[in-house]
Each structure stands twice: as structure tokens, then as C-alpha cells.
Amino acid sequence: AQKVTQAQTEISVVEKEDVTLDCVYETRDTTYYLFWYKQPPSGELVFLIRRNSFDEQNEISGRYSWNFQKSTSSFNFTITASQVVDSAVYFCALSEPHFGYSSASKIIFGSGTRLSIRP
Amino acid sequence: GAGVSQSPSNKVTEKGKDVELRCDPISGHTALYWYRQSLGQGLEFLIYFQGNSAPDKSGLPSDRFSAERTGGSVSTLTIQRTQQEDSAVYLCASRSGLNNEQFFGPGTRLTVL
């Protein structure tokens, strides 16, 4: 069965600190996708990144970076020089690839990490 | 707008009443999903539509929950005889047939008194 674990329920840091959000996943599929979503107080889910299971190259986008390690089934997310606007709940998620009509490719979400950035 | 829209944004109902939640996916997206987010929890999958058919209904929590999709576009999630534990934010997402990225709507916050 597929499962995503975000062990950190809440994190609070002071602005400008770096912070890493942990994500560990379980799947029997050899092909899958991993995601990170941000949910600010407004409630709407904001897509941050999607990573194919065959692509273990780490990715950096501005202050955001992602470390995908298949060996440990982890897909961690680091925010460098955090800002108050980064305060949100962050969800790590996993889905199977879309193989056809009956393949839902539903996204399995972790329980989220609430990140608070203090000024 | 070009995104997924949902209505109403908020719904307060009394226990035992039926409610209907609506989702308008991105135009041309063939796949549509319903998820539920209970307070302080992650999202849980409810149902998946491909066109007007629902090949995967495995997440519907009880037979009080049903959904339909017409014209390959708008979807309605119906909850009959609502219970307090149904209180949650109900999120809809749509996906094109080409890749795995799902685009989420703003959600409907349902409160059952």
C-alpha cells in the first residue's frame, strides 16, 4: 500500500533561518510521482513540485530545494532564508503514474507539516 | 478564470440534511477527483472520474456519499443525511490526460451542526 509520512507536525523558526521538512514514503510501484504542495491560510493548495521516481536529481528553485533519495524513500524539502510568507501547511504526496482509463493516479497525501515563520 | 472552481465556498447545514457540492474543472480536463480534508488532517481521496465514469470510488466513506459527472465537465458530490463527522473541506481537482499534475480548486468548507 502507498503511504506518506511527515513526522514533523509543526515547525516554528525565526525568519531567515533555513528549515527542512521531512517526507518519507512507501510504495511497491517502481514508477511513481512525488509532490510537494503548500497550503497557505487561505486554504488553496499550491503546487510546488512534481518529481518522477526515475529522476533522482535534486532540484533548486530560488529559496526552495528538494532532496530525493530513493535509497531511503525520502523526499525532503528545504527552505533557505525563510520568510514570514512561507508560513503555511506543507504537504508531501505520492501518486502512481497514469496508465490508462482505470488508473486513478490518486494522490496520497501526508498529514502535513505546519510551518510558522516568526519575524 | 482558467482554474478549477467550486461552489459554494462555505456551506453550513443541519445534521440529517442533504448537501450538494459542485466542481467545475479546468476546461478540457478529462480526469476529475474529489478529496476531503478534515480539520488538521491531510487530504483523503474520495472518488475519481474519467469522463463521466467513475472507475475508482474506493475513497467514499459510506453509502451516504455519491457523486456524478455530466458532460465530461461539472461534477456534483452529494452527501445525504449529513453527520457532524462529515464536516470538512471538500476539494476538487482536475487533470489533463497527458500527465499526472492535478490542479486543485479552492474547496468547499462544509460545517454540519
Side-chain angles (χ1 to χ4, degrees):
Chain A
Q2 296 179 320
K3 183 180 178 182
V4 177
T5 301
Q6 294 180 256
Q8 302 152 309
T9 306
E10 292 194 37
I11 299 176
S12 181
V13 300
V14 177
E15 197 171 21
K16 297 182 184 173
E17 286 186 17
D18 298 348
V19 58
T20 295
L21 310 181
D22 297 333
C23 174
V24 175
Y25 62 92
E26 296 175 30
T27 181
R28 292 186 186 143
D29 295 315
T30 55
T31 302
Y32 50 89
Y33 289 96
L34 294 165
F35 303 81
W36 276 94
Y37 284 87
K38 174 182 180 180
Q39 189 175 43
S42 61
E44 192 154 350
L45 274 174
V46 178
F47 168 82
L48 296 178
I49 189 171
R50 179 187 64 190
R51 177 48 49 89
N52 183 306
S53 57
F54 293 114
D55 181 5
E56 287 193 71
Q57 193 169 18
N58 291 329
E59 183 157 339
I60 298 175
S61 176
R63 296 184 296 106
Y64 296 171
S65 61
W66 291 270
N67 183 352
F68 176 29
Q69 299 221 345
K70 231 171 168 178
S71 60
T72 56
S73 297
S74 65
F75 187 44
N76 295 339
F77 173 33
T78 297
I79 301 175
T80 303
S82 60
Q83 300 176 1
V84 172
V85 293
D86 296 328
S87 297
V89 179
Y90 290 86
F91 291 99
C92 180
L94 164 74
S95 83
E96 62 193 16
H98 177 62
F99 285 130
Y101 175 82
S102 63
S103 172
S105 303
K106 56 182 175 273
I107 298 180
I108 308 299
F109 285 85
S111 55
T113 297
R114 182 176 297 278
L115 176 63
S116 298
I117 310 297
R118 309 189 304 274
Chain B
V4 178
S5 61
Q6 293 185 245
S7 61
S9 55
N10 278 284
K11 176 72 177 179
V12 180
T13 190
E14 292 179 351
K15 179 181 171 182
K17 300 283 189 185
D18 298 351
V19 295
E20 286 188 351
L21 312 180
R22 177 187 169 107
C23 171
D24 277 276
I26 293 173
S27 178
H29 279 195
T30 56
L32 185 147
Y33 302 77
W34 284 98
Y35 294 86
R36 177 170 74 172
Q37 185 176 24
S38 300
L39 184 62
Q41 302 294 313
L43 283 77
E44 61 173 320
F45 167 81
L46 298 178
I47 187 170
Y48 156 67
F49 284 93
Q50 180 62 40
N52 293 334
S53 299
D56 190 341
K57 306 178 184 179
S58 60
L60 294 178
S62 76
D63 58 8
R64 296 186 296 103
F65 287 72
S66 63
E68 64 175 13
R69 189 179 185 195
T70 55
S73 180
V74 172
S75 175
T76 303
L77 176 68
T78 301
I79 308 173
Q80 294 178 309
R81 306 181 301 282
T82 52
Q83 303 294 313
Q84 288 183 334
E85 61 262 29
D86 299 334
S87 296
V89 176
Y90 290 82
L91 287 147
C92 175
S94 70
R95 170 177 61 78
S96 73
L98 301 178
N99 59 48
N100 245 49
E101 185 172 341
Q102 296 183 18
F103 296 85
F104 284 81
T108 294
R109 182 177 297 278
L110 174 66
T111 303
V112 182
L113 301 176

